[in-house]
């Protein structure tokens, strides 16, 4: 066990047992010639690589989402993971509750090996103690990804300015908070935080379904969400909501906090970099195939994620979708973006990073350079 979290070989992937060979007779000669202290140093030097050697993977667990069901169905995962000896790829659904942040718990418990979130929540998980590293980050986000929604029949809320004194609902560690936090600040209507009351009331709702229901029932007046994912697309396409605000263009959310990221536990990335690379190649191949084969891909996604066909297709073709952005090839660019949005949110009262700010060294090691351009396991 390491840090109470278990070894890397227990997280989201399979293993086979290994044994360390017994000490040979050379130890007697070393003891006689070098003395006890020297023997200990030599023994440690010889045995450490054996003790720390990664155990071979036999399977890997990954998140079930639109692109991954396509990668599974079209044999992309099989082709890429077969090359490194991983014979079984399991797709794990987040569960009916869809609790925001569940992917970080999945990494920690070992139910999945690599997780997808936007860069702000990934960084917040790290600040909250998750020993994870970023292995891929997209280029900048856009104004379509996380719009502010109100009920279509709510005549009192038609713009961000109309949210003054109203109730806004979201999960705390996610884009539904960070995107509008900046938008509300820009409009001179700061959102409530744990540290200071603002001009817009904040209601924490961590469950996607409950959040949608809160908006439709009138329990909250506004909600920002990714309309390019299953629950967001279903809500938006229902016709019961309207867009009343957008993300600040070219702001800290678009340029940094709202970028898509993949992250893994640090020990997994250290011991199994080939598996991370196979995953990233699969992602690139699958998303390219989806864009070239929209109708067939929509049918696969509809069946694999259990959503209506129109919702599956919307996630592919609408500009709010976030599966098809190019990756930022530079680890230093990503580190710079993290530092900039962390500083901005702290300066404007963000209570997560105010309490647990990542140092520059923390940020440097959080972004795993070996998977970016110039790194040993880069796909670029």
């Amino acid at each position: 066990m390491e840090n109470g979290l278990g070894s890397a070989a227990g997280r989201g992937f399979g293993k086979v047992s290994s044994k360390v060979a017994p000490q040979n007779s050379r130890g007697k000669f070393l003891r006689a010639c070098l003395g006890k202290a020297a023997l200990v140093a030599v023994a440690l030097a010889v045995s450490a690589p054996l003790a720390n050697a990664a155990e071979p993977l036999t399977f890997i667990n990954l998140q079930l989402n639109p692109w991954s069901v396509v990668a599974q169905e079209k044999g992309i995962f099989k082709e890429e993971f077969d090359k490194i000896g991983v014979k079984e790829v399991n797709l794990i659904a987040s569960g009916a509750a869809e609790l925001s942040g569940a992917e970080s718990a999945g990494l920690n418990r070992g139910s999945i090996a690599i997780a997808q979130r936007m860069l702000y929540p990934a960084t917040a998980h790290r600040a909250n103690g998750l020993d994870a590293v970023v292995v891929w980050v997209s280029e900048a986000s856009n104004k379509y990804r996380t719009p502010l929604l109100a009920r279509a029949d709510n005549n009192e809320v038609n713009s961000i300015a109309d949210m003054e004194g109203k109730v806004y609902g979201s999960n705390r560690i996610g884009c539904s908070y960070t995107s509008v936090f900046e938008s509300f600040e820009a409009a001179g209507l700061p959102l409530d935080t744990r540290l200071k009351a603002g001009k817009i009331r904040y209601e924490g709702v961590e469950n996607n379904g409950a959040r949608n229901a809160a908006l439709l029932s009138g329990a909250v007046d506004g909600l920002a969400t990714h309309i390019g994912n299953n629950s967001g697309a279903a809500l938006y396409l229902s016709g019961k909501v309207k867009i009343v605000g957008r993300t600040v263009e070219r702001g800290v959310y678009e340029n940094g906090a709202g970028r898509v990221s993949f992250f893994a536990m640090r020990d997994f990335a250290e011991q199994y970099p080939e598996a991370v690379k196979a995953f990233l190649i699969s992602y690139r191949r699958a998303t390219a195939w989806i864009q070239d084969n929209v109708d067939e891909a929509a049918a696969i996604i509809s069946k694999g994620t259990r959503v209506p066909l129109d919702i599956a297709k919307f996630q592919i073709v609408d500009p709010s979708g976030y599966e098809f952005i190019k990756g930022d090839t530079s680890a230093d660019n990503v580190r710079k973006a993290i530092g900039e949005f962390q500083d901005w949110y702290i300066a404007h009262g963000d209570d997560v990073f105010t309490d647990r700010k990542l140092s520059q060294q923390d940020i440097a090691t959080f972004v795993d350079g070996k998977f970016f351009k110039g790194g040993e396991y880069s796909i670029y």
Side-chain angles (χ1 to χ4, degrees), residues 305-368:
T305 63
R306 295 178 175 84
V307 300
L309 187 61
D310 63 330
I311 292 177
K313 189 169 184 177
F314 178 85
Q315 294 177 82
I316 301 172
V317 301
D318 194 77
S320 63
Y322 51 83
E323 302 287 8
F324 309 108
I325 318 172
K326 292 181 180 180
D328 190 326
T329 64
S330 170
D332 285 339
N333 283 350
V334 175
R335 294 176 181 125
K336 182 174 183 288
I338 292 173
E340 288 178 347
F341 78 67
Q342 178 182 243
D343 289 346
W344 187 91
Y345 283 104
I346 290 172
H348 291 82
D350 180 283
D351 48 16
V352 170
F353 292 122
T354 298
D355 288 347
R356 293 172 288 278
K357 180 180 179 179
L358 294 181
S359 68
Q360 288 302 308
Q361 180 60 32
D362 292 333
I363 293 172
T365 58
F366 177 50
V367 181
D368 196 331

Side-chain angles (χ1 to χ4, degrees), residues 136-156:
W136 184 91
V137 174
S138 75
E139 293 181 335
S141 184
N142 64 39
K143 68 178 183 179
Y144 303 104
R145 190 143 296 123
T146 319
L148 174 64
L149 306 175
R151 293 190 320 280
D153 61 358
N154 186 346
N155 295 325
E156 294 184 1

